[in-house]
Amino acid sequence: MSCEVLTILSDLNHKEEDARIPIIGKRTLKLVESLNITQEGKETIISEASEIFSRCKYPGDAGSRTNIAVGYVQSGKTMSFTVLSALAADNGVKIIIYLTGTKTNLQLQTYRRLKDTFVKEGDFTSYQIFQDSLENTYTDINRIRNFLLLDDCVLMFPILKHHQHIETLASIFTSASIAPHLQGQSVLIIDDEADQSSFNTYAKKNTNKKDWEEDEFSSTYTSILNLRKAFPCHSYVQYTATPQAAFLIDSNDILSPEYHTVLTPGDNYTGGQFFFKNKERQYVVTIPEEEIYHAERNPLRVMPKSLENALKEFLVSVAVKVFIKHDVDFLSMMIHVDGSRASNEKFCKWTAAKLTTWIDRLAGNDSDPAKTMLLRSFKSAYDSITQYVESPPSFEEVSKHLKNVIILTHIRLVQGNGPSTYAIQEGEIDWSESPAHILVGADMLNRGFTVEKLSMTYMPRTTKGKSNADTIEQRCRFFGYKKQYVDVCRIYISHKSKSEYEDYVDHEEMLRKNLKQCKSIAEFSKMSNAMVLTNRLNPTRSNILSSKLVRNKMIGWRQLLSVDQLDLNRELVDKMLMSISADKFTLCKDYAGNVMRNHRYIDVEVDSFINFFKSIKYDDVPNITRKLVTIQYLRYLKEQGRINSVRIYEIAYSAVGDKMRSHQLHEGRPVNVMAGYAANGSYPGDGSFKSEETITFQIHRYRINSSGYLGNKVACNFTIHYPEKFAVDYITTNKEYDFEEEF
């Protein structure tokens, strides 16, 4: 009989979830009204938060959604996700989780901002913010359970982006006390600095593995997946200024976004365009090559002259803007060296010693030649730093304040835990305690951490080879809302870094422009110029890219074997098969009445099958990954006009009761459900039942041969055949990148 392409399960066919218009309620309006921004800015931030939440999962929905919000560095992403949080609360979301970053100072910064924003004196029922802790799990479970029963109370969890912290929270939500209360709830997970640590750092390594069961997954990536599995309904919203990684990972990765929102900075924002494309003013100073620091190749024995100049300009700017003009309460300087504790301590000690020397000289007699020479050098710094200051005070007036400015300057070494004279504790900085702050460090001054009123940046850090675009951009703590003091802002960097930032600005603006023109990531990914980037930069780190993933793992037979969602998946398969009339199937060869070897097949329209296949549930990462990759693969082949249907075989379709196939479990998991060929030639093996013209799905129904709680239960699993002729056409990332060490 001829084959007929069918559309199945009409009750399961559905379009992609349409965006909904969220309710802008009293929580959102109250929060936005308190923001110190223009009315236009308030309207914009509500509009963009509404756009993000319109693509999220609402209470009562099922499943998950991954979206991304793309902003500029230091442009107000935290403000955006706090407004998104209030909007989610207005629309019934009771649980909001914040993955705050990998450093404790960033986690504490986010915790305090949330507390200052949402927790008001005397209001104990609107919001509850839970401290991040690896201890007191039992106490937390009881508190969370009780607060979930409190009407209109929103529970917030700002936690460190570390696998132990994430796994601890996941274990709380999967506990017997909490899990039942998640039914019907919608959870919002906000991944701040989403391109940092979240993605699977074994992706490239996994391309050499034959199957997903052999794959390795980085600990943070795995913990995030486990956290997401804890919630029947949730939305995962990524916030970042450097989305290259999110767009370049395999589109079927569970952390790959489906929709995006481009965030608009406020009117007073100063970013890459302002500093690196400014034709009227030069805020960037090039550090001489011989003063570019490297712990081994150029360790520097004395403080570089360029750093001395930067310090003088900074101190003069404090005298001008804080002491005389009173434009700001304080200013900050950042000395960003490298990731080495020894290097940071060296620069910190140099800075402290130099300031002490200057204090002693300025305290001397006016006739002292050393004082005269020092003031002459400060006059040069004054001429440089005040060139853009409107109506600057005279140098004579500035010089009167220099000694006090230096004495009151607070130097801090900002790095991880360890003994140091100048080290700060747990990222705690009281900005109000001094008119001038000098922060020395590297990794803890990178992405996400806000250096308040940063006016002077000294960054003698560069790479020998190509830099990663997203990494260097996240070092731009000097971007932000600085119009009050931008006239005294300066950025000291290498010539190579300056060229890289100039190139990055062009890339960033084109990226944002293309994103704004597209409604979804799928549409964006089709644009050939979507990720145009100079060859002087790499887009992101290579270990998260998996260019060979599809080619290596989507050829031949693969098996989706699981008993985690046994009853649900069996019911879904049975419902699908019952919706098709028996006479629509094509019967295979009758093997002497052996029902275990008698099969039937049918061709089903691609989109219809995808709608069904999407409803199949898996709890383990390999099967989740294979399912998502297969769905995308089917869509790709259909869009290319290669297929319009898939072939479904129901293996041993008439076998029931004692005639049904049975399989044992190995360590609680099925291993192989496909029957091989018969030695006497009477049966060719299950693997011979396939089509070379499309993707084949075999449905295997079998009884579990086990003495455990799964014993004698009936499971339904899939085996899939991917014809080799299709595989060579489907590669998501063509390039492989080689990264050189930092200079």
Side-chain angles (χ1 to χ4, degrees):
M1 70 184 276
S2 61
C3 294
E4 179 181 359
V5 177
L6 293 185
T7 299
I8 60 173
L9 290 181
S10 58
D11 58 327
L12 288 181
N13 289 334
H14 56 276
K15 298 180 180 179
E16 197 69 51
E17 180 183 6
D18 294 328
R20 308 185 202 178
I21 300 176
I23 298 170
I24 301 173
K26 61 181 181 180
R27 298 190 192 223
T28 304
L29 295 174
K30 182 178 180 180
L31 171 58
V32 172
E33 191 57 38
S34 69
L35 299 177
N36 186 26
I37 57 177
T38 65
Q39 185 61 35
E40 182 180 358
K42 293 176 181 179
E43 293 172 0
T44 298
I45 200 167
I46 289 178
S47 174
E48 291 175 351
S50 298
E51 179 182 335
I52 296 169
F53 196 76
S54 71
R55 294 294 186 182
C56 288
K57 292 290 185 178
Y58 285 64
D61 291 345
S64 64
R65 173 66 51 77
T66 301
N67 300 329
I68 190 169
V70 181
Y72 287 115
V73 169
Q74 297 282 97
S75 64
K77 295 185 295 297
T78 301
M79 184 183 294
S80 173
F81 71 65
T82 55
V83 174
L84 176 64
S85 300
L87 187 65
D90 279 332
N91 287 269
V93 173
K94 286 184 67 67
I95 299 172
I96 306 176
I97 297 168
Y98 306 85
L99 307 181
T100 61
T102 62
K103 306 298 180 184
T104 55
N105 60 341
L106 183 55
Q107 190 274 328
L108 288 168
Q109 175 181 274
T110 303
Y111 172 79
R112 292 190 181 97
R113 287 179 177 178
L114 291 173
K115 191 173 182 180
D116 292 342
T117 300
F118 291 105
V119 180
K120 304 303 179 183
E121 185 176 355
D123 184 359
F124 303 104
T125 60
S126 295
Y127 300 96
Q128 281 291 324
I129 303 181
F130 289 78
Q131 280 274 25
D132 184 17
S133 174
L134 296 179
E135 293 82 29
N136 302 321
T137 302
Y138 178 75
T139 304
D140 286 341
I141 287 176
N142 287 332
R143 289 186 65 229
I144 293 169
R145 176 197 172 279
N146 294 338
F147 277 115
L148 281 172
L149 299 175
L150 188 63
D151 293 340
D152 299 325
C153 184
V154 178
L155 284 59
M156 295 179 166
F157 301 85
I159 66 170
L160 197 67
K161 195 187 295 186
H162 183 277
H163 67 96
Q164 289 181 328
H165 293 252
I166 301 171
E167 290 285 6
T168 297
L169 190 61
S171 68
I172 290 175
F173 283 111
T174 54
S175 66
S177 298
I178 301 295
H181 296 281
L182 299 178
Q183 299 301 318
Q185 299 284 359
S186 176
V187 176
L188 175 62
I189 303 174
I190 294 174
D191 187 347
D192 191 16
E193 305 300 337
D195 60 303
Q196 183 188 31
S197 298
S198 299
F199 301 117
N200 185 23
T201 56
Y202 289 100
K204 184 177 181 180
K205 181 179 178 181
N206 287 338
T207 61
N208 296 317
K209 306 292 182 63
K210 291 183 179 180
D211 209 346
W212 272 276
E213 280 81 0
E214 301 171 359
D215 281 359
E216 297 177 64
F217 300 93
S218 51
S219 55
T220 302
Y221 176 82
T222 301
S223 66
I224 291 174
L225 301 191
N226 289 337
L227 179 65
R228 297 187 65 174
K229 286 194 301 182
F231 305 114
C233 170
H234 73 273
S235 303
Y236 189 86
V237 179
Q238 304 165 327
Y239 272 82
T240 184
T242 48
Q244 291 81 3
F247 297 152
L248 286 173
I249 62 172
D250 191 276
S251 61
N252 304 287
D253 191 291
I254 300 169
L255 297 189
S256 179
E258 299 172 64
Y259 295 96
H260 62 275
T261 299
V262 180
L263 303 178
T264 306
D267 293 337
N268 293 327
Y269 179 72
T270 53
Q273 290 271 49
F274 183 89
F275 286 111
F276 293 101
K277 298 292 182 178
N278 198 320
K279 296 181 179 179
E280 298 178 359
R281 298 182 176 185
Q282 297 299 315
Y283 295 98
V284 180
V285 182
T286 302
I287 301 174
E289 287 300 312
E290 64 271 16
E291 295 184 4
I292 300 299
Y293 177 83
H294 188 277
E296 296 179 358
R297 284 186 281 274
N298 193 29
L300 298 179
R301 303 304 176 188
V302 296
M303 173 185 279
K305 188 67 177 178
S306 54
L307 175 55
E308 188 174 326
N309 292 340
L311 283 168
K312 290 174 180 176
E313 290 181 356
F314 172 68
L315 296 169
V316 169
S317 68
V318 174
V320 172
K321 304 295 284 186
V322 181
F323 279 67
I324 299 173
K325 296 177 75 70
H326 305 292
D327 289 340
V328 290
D329 297 329
F330 65 89
L331 289 175
S332 299
M333 176 178 181
M334 180 178 75
I335 302 175
H336 188 127
V337 189
D338 62 22
S340 164
R341 178 181 296 275
S343 299
N344 294 326
E345 289 181 347
K346 174 190 286 190
F347 274 74
C348 192
K349 290 176 181 178
W350 275 345
T351 301
K354 184 63 68 174
L355 264 58
T356 299
T357 299
W358 289 346
I359 290 172
D360 291 342
R361 290 184 181 179
L362 290 173
N365 192 287
D366 289 346
S367 61
D368 185 348
K371 180 177 180 179
T372 302
M373 186 178 297
L374 178 61
L375 286 173
R376 191 178 299 129
S377 68
F378 268 103
K379 176 61 166 64
S380 298
Y382 165 86
D383 291 338
S384 176
I385 202 67
T386 60
Q387 60 180 310
Y388 305 131
V389 176
E390 185 177 350
S391 303
S394 66
F395 176 69
E396 287 71 24
E397 186 177 3
V398 169
S399 63
K400 295 176 183 177
H401 294 279
L402 283 177
K403 184 182 71 173
N404 289 346
V405 168
I406 301 173
I407 291 173
L408 293 171
T409 297
H410 199 153
I411 303 172
R412 292 179 175 85
L413 181 60
V414 185
Q415 57 185 12
N417 295 332
S420 173
T421 304
Y422 310 102
I424 63 172
Q425 299 298 317
E426 296 184 332
E428 181 70 44
I429 296 179
D430 183 358
W431 300 102
S432 65
E433 70 179 4
S434 175
H437 302 269
I438 298 178
L439 278 60
V440 185
D443 293 341
M444 292 187 75
L445 294 178
N446 257 344
R447 59 179 70 238
F449 185 71
T450 300
V451 181
E452 298 287 349
K453 293 183 173 58
L454 174 63
S455 64
M456 179 64 66
T457 298
Y458 185 84
M459 190 163 58
R461 181 175 186 168
T462 187
T463 57
K464 182 180 179 181
K466 288 185 180 182
S467 298
N468 295 343
D470 51 0
T471 299
I472 65 167
E473 181 70 356
Q474 286 293 353
R475 293 174 183 158
C476 294
R477 300 299 98 194
F478 42 82
F479 293 168
Y481 294 89
K482 303 176 180 293
K483 288 296 176 70
Q484 282 183 301
Y485 55 93
V486 73
D487 45 3
V488 295
C489 286
R490 296 294 185 273
I491 305 164
Y492 278 75
I493 53 177
S494 71
H495 175 75
K496 180 175 181 291
S497 294
K498 183 174 182 289
S499 298
E500 289 172 342
Y501 281 121
E502 290 171 348
D503 289 338
Y504 185 87
V505 170
D506 294 334
H507 160 71
E508 181 177 49
E509 293 307 312
M510 178 175 290
L511 179 65
R512 289 172 61 89
K513 179 182 177 181
N514 291 338
L515 284 169
K516 288 178 180 179
Q517 294 174 348
C518 301
K519 294 181 180 180
S520 67
I521 298 298
E523 183 180 348
F524 167 77
S525 66
K526 295 178 182 179
M527 300 179 63
S528 60
N529 64 341
M531 287 289 285
V532 171
L533 182 65
T534 173
N535 59 12
R536 287 198 291 261
L537 289 171
N538 292 315
T540 188
R541 52 213 180 277
S542 64
N543 58 356
I544 66 169
L545 303 181
S546 53
S547 61
K548 298 185 295 182
L549 174 67
V550 176
R551 172 174 288 168
N552 285 10
K553 300 187 180 181
M554 301 188 75
I555 300 176
W557 284 105
R558 294 291 184 265
Q559 302 190 39
L560 278 75
L561 306 180
S562 174
V563 292
D564 291 334
Q565 297 281 350
L566 184 147
D567 293 332
L568 172 64
N569 288 340
R570 186 187 65 248
E571 290 171 4
L572 289 169
V573 170
D574 289 344
K575 185 176 182 181
M576 181 269 289
L577 294 173
M578 290 175 61
S579 70
I580 305 173
S581 299
D583 59 356
K584 300 294 185 181
F585 285 90
T586 299
L587 300 180
C588 300
K589 178 181 177 181
D590 188 321
Y591 287 92
N594 187 340
V595 293
M596 291 189 186
R597 294 179 175 179
N598 289 344
H599 321 309
R600 61 179 183 174
Y601 69 88
I602 191 167
D603 292 334
V604 175
E605 193 270 336
V606 172
D607 288 338
S608 179
F609 178 79
I610 288 175
N611 284 337
F612 154 71
F613 195 48
K614 283 168 62 177
S615 65
I616 298 295
K617 302 295 182 184
Y618 297 106
D619 291 341
D620 61 299
V621 175
N623 278 322
I624 292 172
T625 304
R626 185 186 290 106
K627 171 191 164 183
L628 294 174
V629 170
T630 300
I631 289 173
Q632 184 66 23
Y633 192 32
L634 291 171
R635 286 173 173 161
Y636 168 82
L637 291 174
K638 182 184 178 184
E639 289 174 0
Q640 295 296 310
R642 306 295 297 276
I643 66 172
N644 59 27
S645 64
V646 299
R647 178 157 294 183
I648 300 177
Y649 278 86
E650 187 180 4
I651 301 298
Y653 72 95
S654 61
V656 295
D658 294 338
K659 301 293 186 181
M660 183 179 293
R661 291 185 178 186
S662 65
H663 293 280
Q664 291 185 332
L665 302 182
H666 177 69
E667 296 182 352
R669 312 288 294 179
V671 177
N672 178 21
V673 297
M674 297 184 72
Y677 68 92
N680 61 5
S682 61
Y683 182 67
D686 292 351
S688 65
F689 296 91
K690 64 182 185 296
S691 169
E692 294 295 344
E693 303 304 318
T694 189
I695 308 299
T696 297
F697 291 82
Q698 289 185 352
I699 298 172
H700 291 259
R701 186 183 286 100
Y702 60 92
R703 190 174 302 281
I704 297 174
N705 186 3
S706 170
S707 59
Y709 75 98
L710 292 175
N712 288 321
K713 280 201 169 189
V714 175
C716 279
N717 284 166
F718 294 90
T719 59
I720 308 176
H721 181 261
Y722 309 94
E724 185 173 358
K725 70 175 184 179
F726 293 149
V728 294
D729 297 331
Y730 189 62
I731 303 295
T732 57
T733 307
N734 295 321
K735 297 181 181 179
E736 293 196 32
Y737 303 96
D738 294 318
F739 298 87
E740 298 189 47
E741 63 179 318
E742 292 209 18
F743 174 86

